[in-house]
Amino acid sequence: MEPTWTYRHLIKPLPVKHNFASAATAPALKTCVACRLAVPDRARAHRDIIATSYEFIDTYPEFPLLKASAEAGCGLCWMIRSEIRKNWAVRPMEEWGFGPLSEDDPSLVDLLETPWDGRVRVFNLKFTFDRLVGALEESPADPAQMGGMVTGVGLEFGPVTPEAGDEGSSLHNEISQIIRFKAFDSVDLDSNQETSRRRLPSREALSDENIDMMHSWLINCRSSHESCRLPPSAWLPTRLLDVGTYAESRLPRVVETKNLSANNAPYAALSHMWGDVVEAPPLQAMKFNYDSLMQEIPLRRLPQNFADAALTCQRLGIRYIWIDSLCIIQDSKEDWEREAQMMHKIYRNAELTIVATSATSSHDGFLARDLSVVPAVKIQYGTADEPRSLIVTPVDDDQNGLRHGDVDGSEWNTRGWTMQERALSTRSIHFCRNKMYFECRGRLASEENEPEQTQASDPFLLWPRALDTTSQDSKEWYNLWRRALIGYSRRRLTMASDKLTAIQSIASEMQSRLPDPRDYLSASGVWYGDIANQLLWYVESGIPRRVPGRAPSWSWASLDAAIGFRRGSRGPPKSGSSGELCRVQGSYRPVAVVKRVDELNWKRAGFPYDILGFDGQIFAHGVLDLDNRDDVLRSGSPFFYLHVSNEQHPSGLLLAIKATTSLASTLCAFNAAELVSRVGVATIFHTSGETINPAVFQATESFAHGPGRKSFSIE
């Protein structure tokens, strides 16, 4: 029977000749003489790599030998030729020992104009052999796997390097580019052990096989991971979306949970990106439509992310789901603020967080997939007595198809709000393009069942949970907080005013583990018990932007910037108020000149300004928060250095006095001023630990009793 096409196919990509959808059932293609050397011989594995002697030389730009071999039936030649042509100029080739080739580099002019005969060498083909570790070791190993899985293959291509002549060396070193593929070996796909059996992705995200797999992830996590166990007393958010069951045919509705039993109403939570809230906002609960949303919500009104999440819950047997835009009344300031304060409870108590990782708006959806447009080839290797096959599919520059690219490199993972949603969730399933990933504190897993770490390696990625009610060492929590801020500062927010709110849930989770919950200064995002360290943040990269009124100048939250910390161990300077002003008493030194140094060595790169006292001597090196883009050095405001710590770089703050604008009256203004603002940080120490100017500071400890001590209100 002839297939029936519709005009819908005018907007669908054409299937690839050799694709992922057909790879499992397609006959394995034979290989040419050269490609028969590209064999994953596990017996030759060394340090998780299986090297081969594969090498092929062809001619740019058509690569006729690879083309002829592919037309003769060699699937690997087809894949290699296709990927070389696609990747040729996507990124610069590299001359090993030198770096990427660039037309903008004047030192490369002669090399780039050197005649070339067009010969290209394809070589250094290696297989990645990932060892079976952690959870996969719990079952007896399949001897055919030899303790690991073949998960990838990479190779290099580049111009054939001319041999060195009798009178000297060649004009350049080897030049090449690397391309990578995922690999699925029949040895792993056919393993007799379920835990170490590799899987090809399903054509449908919610296939029966994938539903069974997700159930097994959840059951294993609940039963085996102490650090993932939910609190014994069940808790429910104020509202949930009731999606019913898979067998029912009724519309979803918002329900208030005051009449539900927490022990009998496990729920999921959705983490997603809203997208353009002006042009295409998601469906939202408002005062005017709240009653109707509690009656029923027509499916056509649900954004695709919400519809996909509802269907996922139904298939998993989870009746309720929390979705921010429907479970918070968006035009009620009181409701929004109250619910935002409970965000950490919402995600930590959810049975599962469904993450629309691949979607960049509420309307994209995350369940649709089409493996027919993903190139993949199945090739034959082995012997007549023991035939084997290998499925190979490309990995692009964004590393799509790998956790690092699909999850960590996703647009979803760049947003400010999603950081705390990911960090606080008990367990999550990420729905990415053509692949799902599971994440909890005890295990990382994926739809393809490649060996992964048994748990998240970064303690901040999933916020740690104490196994009992006792408080852990405060220093460890402070360290985690600073690491959290480093990652958070690199994320983006649609509303700049959400900077402190979007990380409040992590602070709330942390407050319950510290002796004094009042330790957190919510108006600044700083913990008083660690204030000496948290005052000394600095701009690490990018172009910072100060957001007036959002936080005091001494707070990291006063800027939109990628920040960093260097840990020290000094106690906090004496401080009073926890409001918008920080009342600090400490050692200070008036600053006469802040001067940028044009030529810096690598040791000074982080502190490009010289700080001079009124005696004309350099006593510190500094960095300005905005690198003088606000022209602060010409503002006329007097500056001074406030010492914070003897044990780290930077060691203190650069502050500007707001009481006067006359540089001539600096000293008298300084003696009278109380209101100041931060403009940067500085260090009085060389990297060796010695003071920059021993004549000014004979010893670091003497500075505590040096030029003077005074109380200041830092705005």
Side-chain angles (χ1 to χ4, degrees), residues 194-474:
E194 183 177 355
T195 54
S196 60
R197 187 181 306 137
R198 194 83 191 277
R199 298 177 81 250
L200 290 167
S202 295
R203 292 193 182 193
E204 297 179 4
L206 298 184
S207 65
D208 291 342
E209 294 80 8
N210 277 0
I211 294 297
D212 290 341
M213 177 188 64
M214 287 188 279
H215 274 302
S216 70
W217 287 341
L218 297 176
I219 292 170
N220 175 262
C221 179
R222 292 191 205 106
S223 62
S224 304
H225 303 155
E226 285 287 338
S227 57
C228 298
R229 296 226 173 130
L230 295 175
S233 56
W235 179 91
L236 291 177
T238 306
R239 304 176 190 87
L240 290 169
L241 187 69
D242 182 354
V243 300
T245 66
Y246 190 54
E248 289 177 331
S249 109
R250 66 168 184 77
L251 297 175
R253 62 192 179 96
V254 173
V255 295
E256 295 179 348
T257 61
K258 58 188 176 184
N259 296 322
L260 293 178
S261 168
N263 292 314
N264 297 319
Y267 68 95
L270 176 66
S271 178
H272 69 117
M273 293 173 58
W274 284 37
D276 191 330
V277 295
V278 176
E279 295 296 326
L283 177 64
Q284 300 172 60
M286 300 286 190
K287 293 176 182 177
F288 78 90
N289 69 354
Y290 181 63
D291 289 340
S292 66
L293 295 179
M294 293 185 66
Q295 297 301 314
E296 62 180 28
I297 305 175
L299 292 179
R300 60 181 172 77
R301 294 191 62 200
L302 282 181
Q304 194 61 49
N305 280 1
F306 299 3
D308 284 356
L311 179 58
T312 302
C313 283
Q314 290 174 346
R315 293 297 310 276
L316 291 175
I318 301 174
R319 179 168 177 171
Y320 301 99
I321 184 169
W322 187 88
I323 300 177
D324 50 6
S325 75
L326 295 178
C327 297
I328 301 175
I329 300 176
Q330 300 296 317
D331 58 350
S332 168
K333 180 181 179 182
E334 296 79 11
D335 193 72
W336 194 92
E337 289 179 349
R338 182 178 63 251
E339 297 299 310
Q341 292 292 324
M342 294 192 297
M343 204 75 73
H344 65 294
K345 291 185 177 181
I346 291 170
Y347 282 95
R348 83 171 340 250
N349 285 278
E351 184 74 13
L352 168 70
T353 298
I354 295 170
V355 188
T357 317
S358 62
T360 57
S361 82
S362 297
H363 305 283
D364 289 351
F366 55 84
L367 293 179
R369 56 172 62 175
D370 187 356
L371 298 180
S372 71
V373 298
V374 181
V377 65
K378 185 178 183 180
I379 59 174
Q380 177 182 314
Y381 78 96
T383 64
D385 295 332
E386 194 176 13
R388 292 176 176 176
S389 62
L390 188 74
I391 296 173
V392 177
T393 185
V395 174
D396 58 23
D397 275 357
D398 294 328
Q399 297 189 355
N400 288 326
L402 305 176
R403 181 183 294 272
H404 178 72
D406 286 347
V407 179
D408 299 334
S410 66
E411 180 71 14
W412 168 86
N413 202 45
T414 67
R415 308 301 296 178
W417 280 99
T418 62
M419 191 188 78
Q420 66 179 20
E421 294 167 9
R422 182 180 189 182
L424 299 179
S425 293
T426 298
R427 56 188 73 91
S428 301
I429 296 180
H430 293 269
F431 287 82
C432 301
R433 189 175 65 182
N434 300 324
K435 188 174 179 180
M436 293 186 299
Y437 298 87
F438 178 76
E439 184 175 84
C440 72
R441 285 160 186 77
R443 184 184 180 191
L444 299 179
S446 89
E447 182 177 348
E448 295 173 1
N449 199 33
E450 68 271 34
E452 296 200 55
Q453 299 158 295
T454 55
Q455 60 183 8
S457 60
D458 185 347
F460 168 67
L461 181 66
L462 298 177
W463 196 253
R465 294 178 179 173
L467 299 182
D468 52 40
T469 57
T470 60
S471 297
Q472 295 185 0
D473 185 358
S474 297

Side-chain angles (χ1 to χ4, degrees), residues 441-689:
R441 285 160 186 77
R443 184 184 180 191
L444 299 179
S446 89
E447 182 177 348
E448 295 173 1
N449 199 33
E450 68 271 34
E452 296 200 55
Q453 299 158 295
T454 55
Q455 60 183 8
S457 60
D458 185 347
F460 168 67
L461 181 66
L462 298 177
W463 196 253
R465 294 178 179 173
L467 299 182
D468 52 40
T469 57
T470 60
S471 297
Q472 295 185 0
D473 185 358
S474 297
K475 289 183 179 180
E476 292 303 315
W477 289 115
Y478 295 147
N479 290 343
L480 282 171
W481 178 256
R482 290 195 300 273
R483 287 179 61 184
L485 294 184
I486 290 170
Y488 181 62
S489 67
R490 286 154 175 78
R491 291 172 175 253
R492 293 179 288 113
L493 289 160
T494 301
M495 302 293 294
S497 57
D498 288 344
K499 189 82 168 184
L500 289 167
T501 310
I503 201 173
Q504 174 62 45
S505 288
I506 292 178
S508 298
E509 189 79 0
M510 189 168 151
Q511 277 179 306
S512 64
R513 302 298 177 189
L514 292 174
D516 185 358
R518 296 171 299 176
D519 190 6
Y520 185 61
L521 311 180
S522 58
S524 59
V526 169
W527 297 87
Y528 173 67
D530 189 47
I531 199 168
N533 291 318
Q534 294 183 33
L535 283 175
L536 297 178
W537 54 268
Y538 58 92
V539 176
E540 196 164 57
S541 62
I543 300 176
R545 181 177 70 93
R546 193 175 297 280
V547 181
R550 187 173 66 187
S553 67
W554 49 269
S555 166
W556 58 270
S558 65
L559 297 185
D560 281 337
I563 65 166
F565 293 91
R566 289 186 177 92
R567 186 174 60 186
S569 57
R570 279 285 173 186
K574 294 180 180 179
S575 175
S577 171
S578 62
E580 293 185 358
L581 298 182
C582 180
R583 187 78 174 175
V584 173
Q585 181 181 20
S587 304
Y588 66 90
R589 185 172 187 85
V591 172
V593 177
V594 178
K595 180 176 65 175
R596 187 177 182 93
V597 179
D598 294 330
E599 296 185 8
L600 298 169
N601 59 37
W602 66 271
K603 292 182 179 180
R604 281 289 307 274
F607 299 97
Y609 290 87
D610 283 341
I611 313 298
L612 286 72
F614 280 89
D615 57 2
Q617 299 294 308
I618 298 173
F619 71 88
H621 298 149
V623 57
L624 300 178
D625 291 340
L626 300 180
D627 200 19
N628 202 38
R629 292 184 183 88
D630 54 350
D631 214 18
V632 67
L633 296 182
R634 296 181 61 185
S635 65
S637 298
F639 300 104
F640 69 98
Y641 166 83
L642 176 69
H643 191 61
V644 175
S645 172
N646 280 356
E647 299 181 6
Q648 64 190 63
H649 308 275
S651 60
L653 303 180
L654 281 177
L655 302 171
I657 298 172
K658 303 193 73 172
T660 180
T661 58
S662 172
L663 189 60
S665 59
T666 295
L667 287 176
C668 63
F670 179 79
N671 292 329
E674 289 189 346
L675 190 63
V676 298
S677 62
R678 168 181 161 141
V679 295
V681 289
T683 180
I684 63 170
F685 305 117
H686 288 296
T687 55
S688 63

Side-chain angles (χ1 to χ4, degrees), residues 132-143 145 147 191-197 220 443 449:
L132 299 173
V133 295
L136 298 181
E137 288 182 333
E138 296 172 3
S139 300
D142 184 339
Q145 291 182 288
S191 172
N192 59 28
Q193 298 299 323
E194 183 177 355
T195 54
S196 60
R197 187 181 306 137
N220 175 262
R443 184 184 180 191
N449 199 33

